[in-house]
């Protein structure tokens, strides 16, 4: 037996019921689970930053720059899992060169570039321009030149120029909010528009993706806010932390409502695919969906945050609870992506049976590689925080 | 009163004119919205337009079509890659259903349900439906999957980026990812043979002539007559894929 196909023979022996013979192997694996997870963090973190700016939520001010840089760090990595899952990674650029416009996937390159170039980079640049000029003047050696280059030749620190930065930055943010919605709603559409797959094909998919993205992005920034302050041995601004947690709480409620609505609708209408989906949920997905996504990732955080809205224990306790909640939420959203992507491929499109999926440890689609794509953004973020320390920025009114 | 009437009818006129103008503008710009209105594209009526017909009553489940296909098209031999395969359906007396397709039916079938429990049993050969509003063509991000003028859906293997989106989009499980070429692969209706005026290999080798293909635009072709004279049905019609694989005597259990 060719060892290349060993895992397929194993999967073949585990087929449950009838599946089409081409359906043994899952086409999309862990890398495509990461793709919506990472883009979700990008969009979510950005939306949190915009909340502060556009709706002028002053208490969130300390998280503004952290959220922007987080969003940026993850955005830089977002395409990697996508490109590496391709059978022909070297042809990836064809998506941009010769996009086939009826395909939801073809637009990704443009949505991505728009978001990266126009929205995020511009917003960060306008926010940092003044400081870049100052830092370029103060620093020496390589750093001086780096800041100079990043300031793109600008050397104006007059109040007028700062005013202009803020005005333009504000405009970018306003454009940015729909863009963030577009970015992630669009990722949902990639799945939601596949009529062959009843587990994916729902108009709710973009909306669910969007709200779960906000949930994960806000949770991540909350975690990072706690970690960064701990590492820098700073006192945590509790008003800020409580406010993020409050937003997280509300968005989880909306997300939970949307997802429940979707499932209730699916079950109430009970179409042709009803039985296989029921089996999917109670069988193959019972752990990842019922325990990890709903139990650990939603109910626990919702209950904890809910209680904390009324009852406020000591700061240390609250910080710990927020930290744990943040981690749980991120785990939950990861499994939400897992259940969509992997779950949607476990049952046959004949609705008569299931194939199985085993995550390998090594290889481009293995656990280790996936972990790398999840860890790299944190290193990028650490680097960004070192190069553009938000705490050394000049405080400015938004 | 009269005055009111006129103003009303004038308003109606304006509204109607508006609606008409709007419709005109909308329809005239429709082609540019093909991206969204993919399934509204009309079929080609000039030249040959290929379809397939399979007579389930004639299929004996010998698996020759599936075997021939693998040889003719160099499809990997392992039991995970099929351009063409056969399914065996068995409906038990208690109404329950058993479907099997060991190695895509290439090695033939054995009946695993005891004879006294069988209500009825039949074979369903499957292959690409060469859909006219094909979901796989719709989703391909680079246009590597495309439909020829003759209504045959093909993959350009020099162009496919291997994203596998088309495999997800095909409701019939007709595509697989080629393990050596690292691109999507599927039935070409033996395009290389059709171009020479030959029939697809599976059609020529079927011992009972249970499968035919041909020009749907030609009312005198065997397939047009088949469709006219039999009660034909396509798979998953509710998905509006524009499937051009017509089955005679298709049982509702088949999916
Ligand atoms: S049957 Fe599948 S692969 Fe063939 S044209 Fe239709 S959607 Fe595409
Ligand atoms: S795998 Fe190839 S043919 Fe299929 S959608 Fe992707 S690029 Fe197109």
């Amino acid at each position: 037996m060719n060892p290349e196909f060993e895992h397929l023979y194993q999967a073949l022996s585990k087929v449950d019921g009838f599946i089409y013979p081409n359906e043994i192997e899952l086409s999309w694996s862990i890398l495509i689970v990461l793709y919506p997870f990472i883009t979700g963090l990008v969009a979510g973190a950005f939306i949190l930053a915009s909340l502060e700016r556009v709706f002028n939520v002053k208490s969130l001010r300390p998280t503004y720059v952290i959220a922007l840089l987080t969003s940026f760090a993850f955005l830089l990595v977002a395409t990697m899992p996508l490109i590496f899952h391709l059978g022909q990674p070297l042809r990836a650029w064809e998506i941009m060169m010769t996009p086939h416009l009826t395909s939801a996937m073809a637009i990704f390159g443009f949505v991505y570039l728009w978001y990266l170039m126009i929205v995020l980079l511009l917003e960060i640049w306008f926010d940092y321009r003044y400081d870049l000029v100052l830092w370029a003047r103060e620093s020496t050696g390589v750093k001086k030149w780096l800041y100079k280059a990043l300031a793109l030749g600008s050397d104006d620190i007059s109040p007028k120029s700062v005013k202009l930065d803020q005005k333009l930055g504000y405009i970018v943010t306003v454009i940015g909010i729909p863009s963030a919605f577009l970015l992630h709603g669009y990722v949902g559409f990639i799945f939601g528009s596949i009529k062959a797959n009843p587990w994916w094909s729902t108009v709710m998919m973009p909306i669910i993706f969007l709200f779960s993205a906000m949930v994960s992005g806000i949770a991540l920034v909350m975690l990072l806010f706690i970690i960064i302050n701990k590492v820098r041995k700073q006192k945590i601004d509790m008003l800020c932390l409580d406010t993020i947690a409050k937003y997280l709480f509300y968005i989880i409620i909306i997300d939970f409502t949307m997802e429940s609505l979707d499932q209730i609708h699916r079950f109430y209408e009970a179409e042709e695919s009803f039985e296989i989906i029921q089996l999917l949920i109670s069988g193959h997905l019972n752990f990842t969906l019922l325990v990890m996504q709903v139990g650990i990732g939603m109910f626990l955080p919702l209950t904890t945050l809910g209680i904390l809205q009324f009852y406020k224990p000591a700061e240390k306790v609250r910080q710990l609870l927020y930290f744990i909640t943040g981690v749980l939420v991120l785990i939950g959203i990861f499994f939400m992506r897992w259940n969509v992507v992997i779950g949607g491929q476990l049952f046959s499109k004949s609705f008569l049976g299931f194939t199985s999926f085993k995550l390998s440890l090594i290889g481009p689609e293995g656990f280790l590689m996936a972990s790398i794509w999840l860890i790299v953004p944190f290193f990028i973020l650490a680097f960004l925080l070192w190069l553009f320390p938000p705490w050394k920025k000049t405080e400015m009114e938004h | 009163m009269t005055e009111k009437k006129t103003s009303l009818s004038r308003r109606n006129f304006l509204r109607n004119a508006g609606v008409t103008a709007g419709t005109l503008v909308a329809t005239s710009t429709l082609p540019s919205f093909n991206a969204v209105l993919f399934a509204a594209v009309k079929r080609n009526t000039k030249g040959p337009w290929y379809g397939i017909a399979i007579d389930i009553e004639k299929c004996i489940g010998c698996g020759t079509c599936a075997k021939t296909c693998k040889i003719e098209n160099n499809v990997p031999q392992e039991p995970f890659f099929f351009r063409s395969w056969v399914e065996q359906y068995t409906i038990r007396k208690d109404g329950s259903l058993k479907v099997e397709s060991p190695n895509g039916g290439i090695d033939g079938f054995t009946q695993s349900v005891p004879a006294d429990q069988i209500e009825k049993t039949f074979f369903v050969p499957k292959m690409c439906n060469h859909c006219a509003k094909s979901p796989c063509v719709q989703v391909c991000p680079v246009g590597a999957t495309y439909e020829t003028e003759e209504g045959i859906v093909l993959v350009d293997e020099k162009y496919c980026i291997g994203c596998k989106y088309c495999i997800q989009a095909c409701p019939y499980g007709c595509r697989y990812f080629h393990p050596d070429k690292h691109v999507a692969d599927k039935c070409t209706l033996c395009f290389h043979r059709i171009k020479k005026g030959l029939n697809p290999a599976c059609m020529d080798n079927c011992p009972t002539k249970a499968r035919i293909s041909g020009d749907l635009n030609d009312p005198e072709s065997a397939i047009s007559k088949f469709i006219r004279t039999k009660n034909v049905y396509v798979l998953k019609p509710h998905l509006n894929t524009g499937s051009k694989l017509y089955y005679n005597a298709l049982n509702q259990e088949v999916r």
Side-chain angles (χ1 to χ4, degrees):
Chain A
M1 189 195 299
N2 186 339
E4 186 193 340
F5 299 115
E6 207 186 304
H7 68 289
L8 290 179
Y9 281 103
Q10 265 172 26
L12 185 61
S13 66
K14 284 198 206 126
V15 168
D16 171 11
F18 171 73
I19 65 173
Y20 295 134
N22 284 331
E23 285 182 325
I24 310 252
E25 181 166 37
L26 266 57
S27 293
W28 288 349
S29 162
I30 182 83
L31 292 184
I32 304 297
V33 176
L34 287 186
Y35 160 58
F37 184 62
I38 293 179
T39 24
L41 295 172
V42 174
F46 181 84
I47 291 171
L48 182 67
S50 318
L51 265 184
E52 187 276 330
R53 185 143 188 180
V54 173
F55 300 107
N56 211 1
V57 186
K58 289 234 166 51
S59 50
L60 286 181
R61 183 79 186 113
T63 63
Y64 174 71
V65 183
I66 297 179
L68 275 190
L69 294 182
T70 306
S71 186
F72 183 56
F74 278 85
L75 189 68
L76 286 181
V77 178
T79 50
M80 290 307 175
L82 268 191
I83 292 175
F84 279 88
H85 110 279
L86 294 180
Q88 303 285 349
L90 295 178
R91 296 183 193 163
W93 55 281
E94 295 285 5
I95 282 201
M96 310 281 306
M97 291 298 132
T98 55
H100 180 229
L101 292 181
T102 61
S103 167
M105 198 181 272
I107 324 298
F108 177 74
F110 299 105
V111 175
Y112 178 84
L113 275 189
W114 163 261
Y115 199 73
L116 177 73
M117 296 302 172
I118 312 294
V119 176
L120 257 181
L121 276 183
L122 273 187
E123 177 155 354
I124 294 176
W125 192 79
F126 282 128
D127 202 62
Y128 268 99
R129 192 201 58 87
Y130 177 80
D131 302 278
L132 287 173
V133 175
L134 278 191
W135 293 341
R137 290 183 187 178
E138 291 161 5
S139 335
T140 49
V142 184
K143 251 187 158 181
K144 181 185 186 76
W145 289 105
L146 198 57
Y147 288 135
K148 248 205 158 110
L150 288 172
L152 302 178
S154 145
D155 194 35
D156 190 351
I157 48 170
S158 64
K160 213 173 128 206
S161 72
V162 173
K163 260 239 147 68
L164 188 65
D165 283 343
Q166 288 183 352
K167 203 162 163 195
L168 293 175
Y170 181 81
I171 294 175
V172 176
T173 317
V174 173
I175 299 173
I177 295 179
S179 304
F181 277 62
L182 180 71
L183 178 71
H184 211 67
Y186 160 76
V187 174
F189 189 74
I190 288 188
F191 294 95
S193 60
I194 295 298
K195 63 182 171 188
N197 189 325
W199 185 237
W200 291 347
S201 171
T202 150
V203 269
M204 296 290 281
M205 201 56 111
I207 300 173
I208 290 175
F209 263 52
L210 196 61
F211 279 98
S212 55
M214 292 186 359
V215 169
S216 64
I218 296 175
L220 178 65
V221 175
M222 181 170 90
L223 269 182
L224 288 170
F225 182 64
I226 299 176
I227 295 172
I228 290 172
N229 277 299
K230 287 280 176 213
V231 171
R232 297 188 56 240
K233 301 204 171 45
Q234 297 288 314
K235 189 180 157 358
I236 295 180
D237 177 344
M238 282 314 280
L239 176 63
C240 176
L241 196 54
D242 284 333
T243 315
I244 311 180
K246 188 172 77 191
Y247 279 111
L248 184 60
F249 176 63
Y250 291 143
I251 307 276
I252 296 183
I253 292 181
I254 301 179
D255 184 34
F256 182 62
T257 317
M258 298 287 170
E259 284 186 39
S260 315
L261 186 62
D262 190 37
Q263 294 303 351
I264 291 169
H265 183 259
R266 205 191 294 271
F267 273 69
Y268 193 81
E269 282 203 338
E271 290 182 4
E272 196 188 2
S273 56
F274 173 64
E275 276 163 42
I276 194 85
I277 283 182
Q278 212 180 10
L279 286 173
L280 178 75
I281 294 176
S282 61
H284 292 254
L285 292 189
N286 68 4
F287 178 70
T288 52
L289 184 90
L290 300 178
V291 179
M292 298 309 282
Q293 180 185 335
V294 180
I296 307 260
M298 215 160 229
F299 268 118
L300 269 184
L302 210 52
T303 321
T304 318
L305 292 176
I307 293 173
L308 287 177
Q309 298 308 308
F310 303 106
Y311 164 72
K312 296 240 182 293
E315 288 190 1
K316 279 256 161 345
V317 181
R318 246 147 71 213
Q319 286 168 13
L320 183 69
L321 285 177
Y322 287 146
F323 185 85
I324 297 173
T325 307
V327 174
L328 293 185
V329 165
L330 284 178
I331 294 176
I333 299 292
F334 176 83
F335 276 99
M336 183 259 172
R337 313 298 191 217
W338 175 281
N339 293 324
V340 169
V341 177
I342 304 294
Q345 300 173 81
L346 287 176
F347 65 92
S348 167
K349 294 199 185 94
S350 65
F351 304 156
L352 293 172
F354 296 93
T355 185
S356 58
F357 175 67
K358 195 164 156 261
L359 182 61
S360 58
L361 188 64
I362 47 175
E365 302 255 351
F367 175 79
L368 290 179
M369 206 52 211
S371 315
I372 290 180
W373 294 127
L374 270 187
I375 294 168
V376 168
F378 289 100
F379 280 99
I380 300 181
L381 180 63
F383 173 73
L384 290 174
L385 287 173
W386 168 79
L387 191 63
F388 311 117
W391 39 91
K392 289 203 187 132
K393 269 173 69 61
T394 327
E395 235 343 280
M396 278 194 239
E397 275 295 300
H398 267 170
Chain B
M1 202 60 209
T2 17
E3 213 173 301
K4 202 167 179 194
K5 230 179 200 161
T6 13
S7 80
L8 250 184
S9 68
R10 185 176 305 145
R11 206 180 305 148
N12 275 343
F13 169 76
L14 283 178
R15 198 187 58 203
N16 289 341
V19 170
T20 321
T23 319
L24 275 179
V25 171
T27 34
S28 60
T29 48
L30 264 188
S32 46
F33 283 105
N34 274 355
V36 185
L37 295 173
F38 179 80
V41 181
K42 283 228 182 64
R43 75 178 236 185
N44 191 359
T45 47
K46 287 189 198 81
W49 178 249
Y50 281 91
I52 307 138
I54 293 180
D55 195 340
I56 288 175
E57 282 171 353
K58 281 191 185 168
C59 177
I60 53 170
C62 64
T64 311
C65 48
K67 199 187 292 169
T68 314
C69 175
K70 284 221 176 186
I71 298 168
E72 175 73 26
N73 295 297
N74 263 319
V75 176
Q77 287 298 324
E78 287 75 17
F80 320 107
F81 314 104
F82 295 92
R83 287 183 176 194
S84 169
W85 69 96
V86 185
E87 296 167 3
Q88 178 186 37
Y89 279 70
T90 307
I91 300 171
R92 295 192 190 87
K93 291 217 164 87
D94 65 4
S96 65
L97 175 72
K98 171 136 195 180
V99 188
E100 287 175 291
S101 182
N103 194 16
I106 288 184
D107 314 322
F109 291 91
T110 47
Q111 180 54 272
S112 61
V113 180
D116 60 336
Q117 290 177 20
I118 299 177
E119 177 77 26
K120 64 174 160 184
T121 177
F122 51 90
F123 300 99
V124 184
K126 296 260 183 101
M127 59 187 283
C128 171
N129 298 228
H130 291 280
C131 310
K133 308 165 202 171
S134 165
C136 62
V137 172
Q138 180 180 30
V139 303
C140 177
V142 295
T145 283
Y146 64 102
E147 194 185 350
T148 68
E149 284 177 342
E150 302 93 339
I152 297 171
V153 176
L154 299 177
V155 184
D156 182 343
E157 60 179 61
K158 298 216 172 52
Y159 208 57
C160 167
I161 61 172
C163 67
K164 308 182 191 173
Y165 202 16
C166 53
I167 304 179
Q168 306 287 9
C170 172
Y172 310 102
C174 296
R175 293 177 160 249
Y176 65 92
F177 196 66
H178 200 290
D180 306 319
K181 298 180 181 168
H182 301 288
V183 293
D185 197 51
K186 66 176 276 296
C187 158
T188 61
L189 203 61
C190 284
F191 197 64
H192 56 291
R193 291 171 60 92
I194 288 188
K195 282 274 138 181
K196 290 187 207 143
L198 299 170
N199 284 323
C202 59
M203 317 268 167
D204 268 357
N205 284 286
C206 174
T208 62
K209 296 277 162 278
R211 46 206 289 142
I212 53 172
S213 67
D215 183 3
L216 297 172
N217 279 345
D218 173 8
E220 292 312 311
S221 66
I223 187 164
S224 297
K225 283 185 189 146
F226 184 96
I227 294 171
R228 260 202 315 276
T229 53
K230 311 237 182 231
N231 280 323
V232 293
Y233 205 67
V234 296
L235 292 172
K236 305 192 186 189
H238 59 284
L239 291 180
N240 191 22
T241 56
S243 164
K244 297 206 280 359
L245 167 46
Y246 301 89
Y247 286 99
N248 175 42
L250 190 70
N251 194 286
Q252 62 156 353
E253 302 287 349
V254 180
R255 278 192 279 215

